[in-house]
Amino acid sequence: MVNVSTNTSLTQSVYEILRADLLACRLPPGSKLRINDLSQSLEVSPSAVREALSRLVPEGLVTSEPQRGFRAAPISASDLRALTEIRVDIEGSCLRRSIQLRDPAWEEQVCAALHRLSRTVYREPQDPHRLNEEWVTAHTAFHTALSAGCDNPWRLRVREMLYAQSERYRRLSVPLASAGRDTLKEHTEIADAALAGDDDRAVALLSSHLKNTTRILLEADITESVNRFANPSHLTSPK
């Protein structure tokens, strides 16, 4: 008898690995996702890979066409502009509501997340063209904390989806970013304004922060940045 629980757990593991590789651009945008190659790399069955990829299609991280298989979702300047526009609106509204409803617990969460972020190295020490994965985790926690006080669960769900989509663009912007950009200062100013209850200033600073990444990529050649990440994916077997 097939162990349904084991199969479900395996598919979930494959899904999480592939999702992480897509967000980190280890599977470059637009690249062909060959099921047999991925199943060999991950040492799992092709059916587990196929199911995991199918789950990633509704998230917008993978595209699927009949008879053509799967691809990592492509990126483009127009997509980046549209993504940034809606993300500024949603993130801003979540932050504004969090400030309006602020309480000591939310303030402590923001302070703790900022402290953790400030103590984490931004770039990968062994490869300065890539983000440090610990920083990525801390960065996600910080932006999540800013919005955590929002009382509209639908806004929060949309915010989370948009944040994941923007992660690929953020990764691509790292090797292109000017050495003069002080991301810690940007984050600190947002947090300071939020904790002071200045929702207009906090939202304006957040908007500027989000648009900085977009500006960096639009001023550069996005395709060139993708090529920097077009290295073999170091996939980890879920076994």
Side-chain angles (χ1 to χ4, degrees), residues 132-162:
N132 177 10
E133 291 301 323
E134 292 184 4
W135 186 91
V136 171
T137 300
H139 182 252
T140 299
F142 173 74
H143 279 278
T144 299
L146 289 176
S147 298
C150 177
D151 59 351
N152 187 319
W154 280 105
R155 285 188 182 275
L156 292 174
R157 289 171 193 166
V158 173
R159 189 210 73 84
E160 184 177 1
M161 183 271 288
L162 295 173

Side-chain angles (χ1 to χ4, degrees), residues 4-23:
V4 176
S5 177
T6 299
N7 285 348
T8 300
S9 177
L10 179 60
T11 300
Q12 179 65 22
S13 295
V14 174
Y15 161 82
E16 291 174 358
I17 290 170
L18 293 178
R19 188 176 189 276
D21 280 325
L22 288 162
L23 292 177

Side-chain angles (χ1 to χ4, degrees), residues 197-214:
D198 190 342
D199 55 347
D200 286 337
R201 175 170 169 75
V203 171
L205 288 169
L206 177 63
S207 174
S208 177
H209 172 67
L210 299 179
K211 290 177 180 178
N212 268 340
T213 298
T214 298

Side-chain angles (χ1 to χ4, degrees), residues 59-124:
E59 294 186 33
L61 295 174
V62 170
T63 62
S64 175
E65 296 182 20
Q67 310 303 320
R68 293 189 178 184
F70 298 93
R71 284 187 179 276
I75 65 169
S76 67
S78 60
D79 178 70
L80 175 57
R81 290 190 186 96
L83 174 60
T84 302
E85 179 182 353
I86 188 61
R87 189 171 174 225
V88 165
D89 288 345
I90 294 296
E91 290 261 358
S93 66
C94 288
L95 175 57
R96 189 181 299 277
R97 189 60 176 161
S98 292
I99 295 172
Q100 292 171 347
L101 298 175
R102 66 188 184 282
D103 58 19
W106 175 76
E107 293 174 350
E108 290 174 7
Q109 185 178 357
V110 172
C111 288
L114 178 63
H115 178 70
R116 179 186 179 189
L117 186 62
S118 70
R119 300 295 296 273
T120 308
V121 177
Y122 178 61
R123 295 175 186 262
E124 173 60 46

